Amino acid sequence: MKKNLIIIGAGMASGRALEEVLDQDGDSWNVTLFNAEPCGNYNRLMLSPVLSGEKTYEEIITHSADWYETQGVNCRFGEKVAEIDKVAKTVTSETGDVLSYDKLVIATGSNPFIIPLPGHDLDGVIAYRDLEDTERMIALGSKPDAKAVVIGGGLLGLEAAAGLKARGVDVTVVHIMGHLMERQLDEAAGYLLRKALTDRGIKVMCSANSKEIVGDDGQLRALLLDDGTELPCDLLVMAVGIRPNVALAQDAGLAVGKGIHVDDQMITSDAHILSLGECVEHDGAVFGLVAPLYEQAKVLAKTLIGEPATFVQKEVSTKLKVTGCDLFSVGDFADGEGREDIVFRDPARGVYKRLVIEGNKLVGAVFYGDTSDSNWFFGLIKDGEDISEMRETLMFGPSFQGGDPLDPMAAVAALPDDAEICGCNGISKSNVVAAIQAGAHTLDAVKATSKAASSCGGCSGLVEQLLSVTLGDDFAMPEKETVCKCTDLSHDEVRKLIVAGKMKSMPQAMQEMNWSTPDGCHVCRPALNYYLVCAWPGEYADDGKSRFINERVHANIQKDGTYSVVPRMLGGITTPNELRAIADAADKFNVPTVKVTGGQRIDLLGIKKEDLPAIWYDLGQAGMMSGQAYAKGLRTVKTCVGTDHCRFGTQDSTGLGIKLEERMWGAWSPHKFKLAVTGCPRNCAEATCKDLGIVCVDSGYQILVGGAAGLDLLEAQLLAQVATENEALEYSCAFYQLYREGAQYLHRPYKWINKVGLDWVKDQIVENPLNRKALADRFHYSQQFFQVDPWAERAIKGKDAHEFKPLADLTDLPVAAE
Amino acid sequence: MQSEIDMSQYIDIGTLEDIPQRGARVVRTPEGEIAVFRTADDQIFAIDEWLPGKAGPLSNGIQHGTCVTDPMRNWVFDLRSGVAQGADDGHLRVWDLYLQDGRIFLTSEVLGAARVTS
Ligand code: SRM
Ligand SMILES: Cc1cc2nc3c(=O)[nH]c(=O)nc-3n(C[C@H](O)[C@H](O)[C@H](O)COP(=O)(O)OP(=O)(O)OC[C@H]3O[C@@H](n4cnc5c(N)ncnc54)[C@H](O)[C@@H]3O)c2cc1C
Ligand code: SF4
Ligand code: FES
C-alpha cells in the first residue's frame, strides 16, 4: 500500500526534494502538495530577470500543471495548511479539510521582514518575495513619472531597484549601513557597486535611517528619514531581510529556534515530520540561498526512502543578478590575526579583487568588475586546497602564467585627459602628454616646454608618472617617499590625484589610487581624511574614525587617560564672566589643575572623559567654545595690548588678532597653525616665531610667515608689508589657504615653504592679487562648513554620544549568594 | 558553535549598534577597564584598555583591519591576540565574547574574584 506524504509549501526546496523522491521511489508514495501561492514551483531567483523584463514568468516555471499531473501529485495550490496535529498525524487545511499522513514535510520558506515603522501597513508598501510583489512593481512601470523607494541595500533590494529602473521608474535605495551589501562586500567593492548603480540613474543613500512612512487616506505618499529628508514615492519596497516561516511548526509543538530544528537527516523533533528550506535551522545556521537547500533536498529524499544520508553545511557564494554589475563574494573576508590580504585594483577598468589567505589556504574572496575566474577561487575555498605553491600568482587566476604585477602607475593612467595636473599653471594631462610626445623626455624638459611643474613643484611626481606611463621603460622613475606602506604614491601625488580625479570618499580614493590594503592604516587614514576635508568642503563627510583621539573627542588626552579642556579666548582677551564660568566649572567637576597656557588662555586639566560633554555645556552657557588646542588646525592668535593701552603701540594689535581668530577658528590644516599680532617691533606677543605673525609698524603691518619655536626654532620671514588692516586680513587668509591646499600632512608651514620656496609663495600671494583674492575666497567658502563649535554639537546635540559613555559598568553587579 | 555556549558564563553588555563601526567602547569591570571593539566588518573583540606604563587607553586608538593603534605611543596591537605588532614588545589580555541576535555577551571571567557563582 502507498504511504501518504504531505508536503506543505511548493517552493524551490520542496520542489527539488519531490523530484528526487518521485525519481527514486515514486511508487511508494501518495503525494499531496499544499501551497499558499496560487501556483506550483517556479524559480524564485529568476523573479529579478522577470522584473527587469529579461525573462517572462512562463520561462521560469519549474513544474507545470502537466508535470504535476503526469507525476500523480495531488495539488492544492492557493490553499494554506492551518494546523498540524502530530499526535493524530493529520494536517488541517484552511478550508477545514483534515488529511492524515505517514510522513509530513514542512517547506514553508521564509517571510520577508517588514520593519514596523509607522505607516508600514499603508497601501503601496510591499516586500520582494513572490510573483505578486513582482507584478506590482512591473505595473508601476506603466505609470508616467512613477517613483519608488527601496529600503535595503542588500542583494534583494538592489535587484528590485535595478529592475524598477529598467522599467523606467525613478528609484532611490535607502540603506542603513555605510556601504551597500555590507554582509557580502567590503567597503571598496561597495563603493564600486554604488558607483555603477548611480551611473545608471539609481539614487543611493547610505547611512540613512528611515523614520516614518507617510500617506494620505491609507495610500502611501512618501518615506521620511530621521534627518528630515522626505522621499516621495508611489511604491515602497522593503527588502531588509527574511525570517524563517516557523508559525505552523511552532504551534504544532515542534522544537523551534531561529528556524525549525532539524538534524543531519532533516528530521525535526518529531520522527514523522521532516523539514527543509529557508524555514529550518541546522546546527545553529539558517539559510537564504538555494545551493544548500538543494543539498538538503537530496538528504531529505534519501531519509524518506530509508537510505542513509547526511547534510553537511558548505561555503556558499553570492552573485548579484544585475546586468552590468559583476560582483562575487564568498567565504570569510574579515581581517584577522594570521590572515593576509592580497588586493588587486585596476582603477581604469573599475576592478577590485581581494583574496583572504589564512595559513596555506584561501578562506575568502571579494571580486568586483571582473568575476571571470570566480568559480575557480570558490573551488579552492570549498575544497580547502593548499595554495602555498601558487601564492605569488594566485591573484591572476587559473590561466595565469605571467600576469601583470600591481601597477603603481594605474591611478595616473586612469585620469581623464582634461584632469588638471599642474594647478599653478593650469596644465592638463593631455598638455603634459603632448609635451612628452613632442620630445620632452625628462622632467626638466617637460617643465621647459609645457610649464608644468615649473612653479611650486608639487606636481612633479605626477609629471614623472606621466613620463613613465607615456615612455615606458625609457623613463626611469626616481625613488620617492611614499605616504605609507599602503601605497606607492607620495603625499603630493595623493593630494593632486584627489582633486584631479574628483575623489570624494575614502573608499573611492583608496580604489582609484590603487591602495594595497583594504582600509589603510593609522598613517594614511588621517592624511587622506585631511586631504579630502580640504579638497571638498561641504561635500566630503569627515571620517571621525580616521582622526586621532584628540580631534575625535575635541580635547587633549593626558597620560592617565583623562583629558584637558581649553576654551577659546579670542586674541587672548577674556572677561570676568568667562573667568567666573571657568572657576565654577573647575569647582563643579573637581578639576585638579587650572593652568595659564603658553598660548594666552586657560587650560583645565585632568577631566574624566565622561564629564566632557557636561563641562562643555557649562562653558558653552557662558559663551565659550572649543579652543581646539588639539587640532591640526587653527590654534591660538596671541596678541599684545597695542594701541589700546601701550605707550609704544602703533596699531590695534589686539583688535586685529581677534578679527583673525574670528575668521580662522575651526579651520583644519596639515598641521597646527599658530598666529600672533604684536603692536610694535618690541614683539611682546612673540610674532616672529609663529606660523604667521604680524608686526605692527607706523606705516602698516609686516606679515611674517614660516616661524616656529618647537622642535625647530625658526625666525619667521617677511612675506609682505601692507598698509591697511583689511589687506592684512586678506593676505593672512590667502596664506593659510595656500598652505592648507598645498602642504603635506603633518608639515608645519616652514617645512612646506622650504620645499616650495618663499619666492613662489610671494608669487602666489603678493605678486598676483587675483590669485590672492581667489585663495581668500576659497578659505571663507570652506569656513562656512567648519565654523561649527564641536563642543556645542556634542554637549547640546548629543553628537558622538557613544564616545563619552562606557558601554557597561560591571563593577557593581550584585554578587549572587554563595 | 554558539549552541554550545553556556549562557550563565556570559554577561549581556549591550548591542552591536551601541558601538559604531571602527569604533570602541569601554566596559568597566572588577578586572579593570576592557575595550570592546567593532571592526568595519562587524567583528567584535574585547581586550584590556591599558598595558600599564606602555599603552592605552586603547579604545581611543585608530582602528584598521583587526588592529588598533595606541593613542599614546602609536604601538599597533592585533585585537585577536592582544599582541603588539612589529618591534614593540607587549601583550594585552584578550577576553572571550560573542554576538547573538545583535547583542554582545562578554565572559563572566571579567568579574574576577567577585564572579557570580551559579
Ligand atoms: C597647553 C600648552 C602648554 C602650556 O601649558 O602652556 C601646550 C601643550 C601641549 N603641546 Fe605645545 N602647548 C602649548 C603651547 C605651545 C607653544 C607656545 C605657543 O604656541 O606660543 C609651543 C611652541 C611654539 C610652536 O608651536 O612653534 C608649543 C610647541 C609644541 C610642539 C612642537 C611643535 C613643533 O612644530 O615643533 C608640540 C608637538 C607637536 O605638535 O607635534 C606640542 C604639543 C603639545 C601637546 C598637544 C602634546 C600632546 O600631543 O599631547 C600638549 C598638550 C598637553 C596637554 O596636557 O593638554 N607643543 N606648544 C600650550 C597650549 C597653548 C594653547 O593655549 O593652545
Ligand atoms: C527576488 C529573489 C531573488 C533571489 N535570488 C537568489 C539568488 O540569486 N541566489 C540564491 O541562492 N537565492 C536567491 N533567492 C533566495 C531563494 O529564492 C530562496 O532561498 C529559496 O526560494 C527558498 O526556498 P524554499 O523552498 O525554502 O522557500 P520558498 O521558495 O519561499 O517556498 C515556500 C513556499 O511555501 C508556501 N507556504 C508558506 N506557508 C504555507 C502554508 N502554511 N501552507 C501552504 N504553503 C505555505 C509559500 O507560499 C511558498 O510558496 C532569491 C529570492 C528572491 C525573493
Ligand atoms: S609689542 Fe610693542 S605695543 Fe605691544 S605691548 Fe609690547 S611694547 Fe607694547
Ligand atoms: S602644481 Fe604644478 S608647479 Fe605647482
Side-chain angles (χ1 to χ4, degrees), chain A residues 177-179 182 187 258 283-284 332-339 354 358 518-522 525-526 543 545-549 552-553 557-563 608-610 801-811 813-818, chain B residues 1-3 11-15 17-30 36 38 40-43 45 50 56-57 59-66 69-72 74 76 78 80-81 83 101 104 106 110-111 114-118:
Chain A
M177 302 304 284
H179 69 271
E182 77 286 345
E187 256 182 305
K258 282 178 279 186
D283 201 5
D332 186 353
F333 55 86
D335 291 299
E337 190 194 359
R339 287 206 169 163
R354 175 168 166 210
E358 195 170 296
D519 69 348
C521 68
H522 69 269
R525 288 239 310 271
D543 178 24
K545 301 297 177 312
S546 296
R547 285 187 179 270
F548 183 64
I549 186 61
R552 200 154 81 218
V553 299
I557 195 165
Q558 310 289 302
K559 62 179 188 178
D560 61 354
T562 63
Y563 284 81
K608 292 203 279 298
K609 199 177 181 186
E610 295 124 273
H802 61 85
E803 285 281 6
F804 305 102
K805 273 195 268 0
L807 179 60
D809 189 343
L810 308 178
T811 50
L813 271 193
V815 177
E818 298 289 312
Chain B
M1 278 271 62
Q2 293 195 353
S3 49
I11 309 162
D12 183 343
I13 54 168
T15 70
E17 298 305 314
D18 291 336
I19 310 175
Q21 286 182 331
R22 286 208 190 94
R25 302 274 302 267
V26 166
V27 177
R28 296 217 174 98
T29 78
V36 180
R38 173 179 178 189
D41 46 25
D42 289 346
Q43 302 184 75
F45 300 102
W50 293 92
S59 65
N60 295 292
I62 292 183
Q63 259 185 73
H64 39 101
T66 47
T69 300
D70 153 59
M72 290 292 172
N74 275 345
V76 177
D78 192 303
R80 296 201 157 191
S81 59
V83 176
D101 296 332
I104 302 172
L106 181 63
V110 302
L111 300 182
R115 184 167 180 173
V116 180
T117 52
S118 56

Side-chain angles (χ1 to χ4, degrees), chain A residues 359-362 380 383-391 394:
Chain A
N360 293 331
K361 288 188 178 137
L362 185 64
L380 294 182
D383 306 339
E385 247 176 81
D386 184 335
I387 50 105
S388 45
E389 295 290 300
M390 47 184 163
R391 221 200 117 108
L394 185 63

Side-chain angles (χ1 to χ4, degrees), chain A residues 350-417:
Chain A
V351 172
Y352 170 81
K353 299 187 181 186
R354 175 168 166 210
L355 299 175
V356 186
I357 293 172
E358 195 170 296
N360 293 331
K361 288 188 178 137
L362 185 64
V363 295
V366 186
F367 297 156
Y368 189 95
D370 174 3
T371 54
S372 45
D373 296 327
S374 52
N375 283 334
W376 182 72
F377 288 104
F378 185 31
L380 294 182
I381 294 176
K382 242 187 354 195
D383 306 339
E385 247 176 81
D386 184 335
I387 50 105
S388 45
E389 295 290 300
M390 47 184 163
R391 221 200 117 108
E392 299 291 299
T393 56
L394 185 63
M395 180 54 94
F396 304 106
S399 59
F400 169 81
Q401 289 321 321
D404 303 318
L406 272 181
D407 182 4
M409 253 37 107
V412 180
L415 284 179
D417 283 345

Side-chain angles (χ1 to χ4, degrees), chain A residues 550 556-558 564 566 595-601 603 605 629 636 638 671-672 674 686 689-690 708-712 748 750:
Chain A
N550 288 358
N556 290 67
I557 195 165
Q558 310 289 302
S564 83
V566 185
K595 181 180 181 301
V596 175
T597 73
Q600 297 190 343
R601 42 203 196 165
D603 196 352
L605 296 117
T636 56
K638 303 212 286 189
H671 207 311
K672 54 189 170 190
K674 297 173 170 179
E686 300 170 320
C689 59
K690 290 290 172 259
L711 300 167
D712 293 306
R748 291 277 291 263
Y750 69 89

Side-chain angles (χ1 to χ4, degrees), chain A residues 583-596:
Chain A
D584 287 345
D587 276 342
K588 181 165 161 189
F589 295 95
N590 292 318
V591 172
T593 308
V594 181
K595 181 180 181 301
V596 175

